[in-house]
Amino acid sequence: MAKLQPVRGTHDIMGDQARTFQFIQGVFQDIATRFGHQEISTPIFEFTEVFSRTLGETSDVVSKEMYSFEDRGGESLTLRPEYTAGIVRAFISNGLQQSLPCKFFGSGPMFRYERPQKGRMRQFHQLDVEILGVAEPQADIEVLALAATLLSELGLMDDVTLEINSLGDTESRLANRDALVTYFTAHKSSLGEDSLARLKKNPMRILDSKDEGDRALVADAPRISDYYNQASKAFFDEVLAGLDALNIKYVINERLVRGLDYYSHTAFEFITSKLGAQGTVLAGGRYDGLMEIMGGPPTAGIGWAAGIERLAELVSPDLVPGEPRPIAIVPVGSDCQEQALKIAQQLRTAGHAAHMSYRGNMAKRMKRANKADAIAAVIIGEDELARAVVTIKNFDDGSQTEVSLDQLMNHLSHYR
Ligand code: ATP
Ligand code: MG
């Protein structure tokens, strides 16, 4: 029966986890809306080119992790591994350059062919925020403030650290890149295999190498901050001043980099030590060159994505609202079914949660109602029906009250 297992790295989301996801998404939507972002849902799949162009052929996602397939029409399609590329594609497809700035948020499933482990799945879920068309550092500050507000309303501010860096503008980054190539080429023989490959394609990424040997080399590598030009330094200072003004704590991490050329200025991550190896809960940065790579008009961009599974691991169950306590509808005898149905429908229409009791004798039904944490039961018996009354049992104080059908809704309104 192996076929009845879910695909490796995918999960069914239900029960407490489903409630936690819903809570996180609800808080996120609420905050993103307060920050002036509009919801966008892009398709789950796009032409493969949308991702291969924007994420870069050398990135881990494109080179190893994409779920790509040919559809029946022979098109190469890919299940989205992230949100940004689809949103930038949507911006171009819908000709939104007249409506800048565009502030978007979205959430939903993402797909990456990764080695499944704790905090790393093949289908996972992200919250995503993007601002298009704002080249000023105010956008960097705002998306970071949105992230901090979210983490704080999820009760996670004490669990996470904001690490931030600036890659500088194109000029600064290229100067740093040349220095890095010179430095690492001189120490080529001590570089790990992955880093050797990166030296040609993506030298900046050597700085976040996990290889022990590389780390020693990285410690003495040219520092990116030494290559900031005036404008880059001023930009970064303004972002940090904004964070200070909002009392958002951060640590500058000069090894926090992004490999691709369209990234510039701010890069950041909120990390935690509470999730083991997969400690990044939220990551983002500025990608001013991305729109042009996709064939759109030059348009600044900045955004972030957070893994919902990783957030859900951290969120305290006490914060997640439980389900409302239901009113149990307990018909006794088959002649009472129809009245039970009607009462359940009336209650649900009036906004109550009503749980229908389907089978068993009275004692069994009451036991089940209690187990479902019902606040009360409406007991509908044949004799009572003949007199147009029902019995309400209050599970909290054990009292039983006979109530006429006319007064039923009025009486039960006290239970909301
Ligand atoms: P990592 O270094 O963990 O592989 P990444 O750089 O690939 O992360 P991003 O593309 O920046 O991650 O995605 C943003 C966030 O989405 C991550 O910080 C993480 O919370 C979440 N995430 C990424 N990949 C996965 C995955 N396979 N399973 C669960 N969550 C993920
Ligand atoms: Mg990854």
Side-chain angles (χ1 to χ4, degrees):
M1 281 295 179
K3 280 271 151 57
L4 291 184
Q5 296 300 312
V7 173
R8 210 160 98 85
T10 69
H11 294 273
D12 305 306
I13 300 160
M14 51 189 161
D16 287 345
Q17 198 191 17
R19 267 189 292 280
T20 308
F21 269 47
Q22 201 178 38
F23 168 66
I24 293 171
Q25 281 171 315
V27 171
F28 171 65
Q29 285 193 2
D30 184 45
I31 295 172
T33 307
R34 276 186 257 155
F35 274 79
H37 288 250
Q38 308 266 327
E39 181 156 25
I40 183 169
S41 292
T42 60
I44 301 277
F45 51 80
E46 299 267 358
F47 292 119
T48 295
E49 227 200 343
V50 168
F51 304 113
S52 57
R53 255 214 238 173
T54 57
L55 298 173
E57 302 288 349
T58 62
S59 69
D60 286 353
V61 171
V62 173
S63 59
K64 309 187 270 225
E65 298 173 1
M66 291 210 305
Y67 273 98
S68 301
F69 59 96
E70 217 173 78
D71 75 0
R72 290 169 192 273
E75 298 281 6
S76 177
L77 305 180
T78 294
L79 300 182
R80 62 184 188 191
E82 55 117 54
Y83 238 120
T84 312
I87 288 179
V88 169
R89 195 272 309 138
F91 175 89
I92 299 170
S93 312
N94 292 286
L96 297 182
Q97 52 268 34
Q98 304 309 322
S99 6
L100 290 171
C102 291
K103 298 167 75 171
F104 292 120
F105 77 91
S107 73
M110 302 292 155
F111 306 85
R112 297 183 192 179
Y113 191 82
E114 303 214 60
R115 193 170 68 77
Q117 53 196 289
K118 187 173 180 295
R120 204 175 277 294
M121 280 137 277
R122 290 182 173 177
Q123 176 174 339
F124 61 101
H125 299 76
Q126 279 186 342
L127 308 175
D128 188 272
V129 157
E130 313 286 347
I131 296 183
L132 300 175
V134 184
E136 290 79 4
Q138 278 69 30
D140 308 51
I141 300 164
E142 248 195 4
V143 296
L144 279 161
L146 205 172
T149 309
L150 173 73
L151 294 167
S152 149
E153 291 194 19
L154 294 177
L156 303 181
M157 253 342 213
D158 292 339
D159 296 337
V160 296
T161 306
L162 167 58
E163 295 198 344
I164 191 167
N165 193 20
S166 172
L167 311 172
D169 61 10
T170 307
E171 184 186 67
S172 311
R173 225 191 38 238
L174 289 180
N176 177 243
R177 183 192 165 108
D178 286 346
L180 287 173
V181 171
T182 307
Y183 173 81
F184 285 119
T185 304
H187 297 86
K188 222 170 158 175
S189 54
S190 343
L191 273 183
E193 202 180 315
D194 284 348
S195 293
L196 265 182
R198 284 172 170 171
L199 183 54
K200 287 202 195 75
K201 292 179 179 154
N202 215 337
M204 212 176 227
R205 285 288 312 281
I206 300 177
L207 298 177
D208 70 5
S209 168
K210 309 226 158 43
D211 183 290
E212 279 301 320
D214 291 351
R215 278 182 180 247
L217 269 185
V218 165
D220 293 327
R223 299 166 70 88
I224 189 166
S225 53
D226 291 338
Y227 294 83
Y228 293 157
N229 55 22
Q230 193 52 41
S232 299
K233 176 146 186 7
F235 192 102
F236 194 27
D237 286 346
E238 209 168 326
V239 173
L240 298 182
L243 296 178
D244 290 336
L246 296 177
N247 214 359
I248 299 170
K249 305 269 176 301
Y250 56 83
V251 176
I252 294 175
N253 175 359
E254 287 212 47
R255 291 165 29 117
L256 204 165
V257 293
R258 300 279 183 263
L260 301 168
D261 287 345
Y262 58 78
Y263 286 109
S264 54
H265 296 294
T266 316
F268 56 87
E269 289 184 356
F270 282 86
I271 58 170
T272 178
S273 55
K274 295 197 163 174
L275 291 178
Q278 269 62 57
T280 306
V281 293
L282 186 154
R286 186 168 270 284
Y287 50 84
D288 290 346
L290 177 58
M291 190 70 75
E292 278 170 278
I293 288 181
M294 288 204 65
T299 308
I302 182 159
W304 54 253
I308 301 182
E309 281 82 356
R310 294 186 195 177
L311 292 171
E313 278 278 308
L314 295 171
V315 166
S316 157
D318 301 340
L319 271 187
V320 181
E323 280 168 9
R325 291 178 69 190
I327 293 173
I329 312 295
V330 183
V332 188
S334 50
D335 290 349
C336 305
Q337 276 315 334
E338 193 180 310
Q339 192 60 46
L341 267 179
K342 284 185 185 164
I343 292 174
Q345 183 63 20
Q346 251 182 323
L347 281 171
R348 289 164 178 162
T349 311
H352 292 275
H355 282 197
M356 184 62 93
S357 158
Y358 299 112
R359 68 167 71 99
N361 62 26
M362 174 84 167
K364 276 222 175 86
R365 289 178 191 237
M366 294 304 276
K367 204 167 150 190
R368 245 181 269 124
N370 215 340
K371 209 172 153 200
D373 197 26
I375 188 161
V378 179
I379 303 161
I380 308 161
E382 283 168 28
D383 297 346
E384 284 105 327
L385 260 196
R387 291 187 286 122
V389 298
V390 292
T391 302
I392 311 288
K393 171 159 177 142
N394 179 326
F395 279 110
D396 286 342
D397 62 14
S399 66
Q400 298 214 21
T401 322
E402 207 172 81
V403 179
S404 75
L405 283 177
D406 292 349
Q407 283 304 308
L408 180 63
M409 293 308 289
N410 188 23
H411 183 89
L412 288 175
S413 64
H414 306 308
Y415 285 93
R416 282 205 68 200

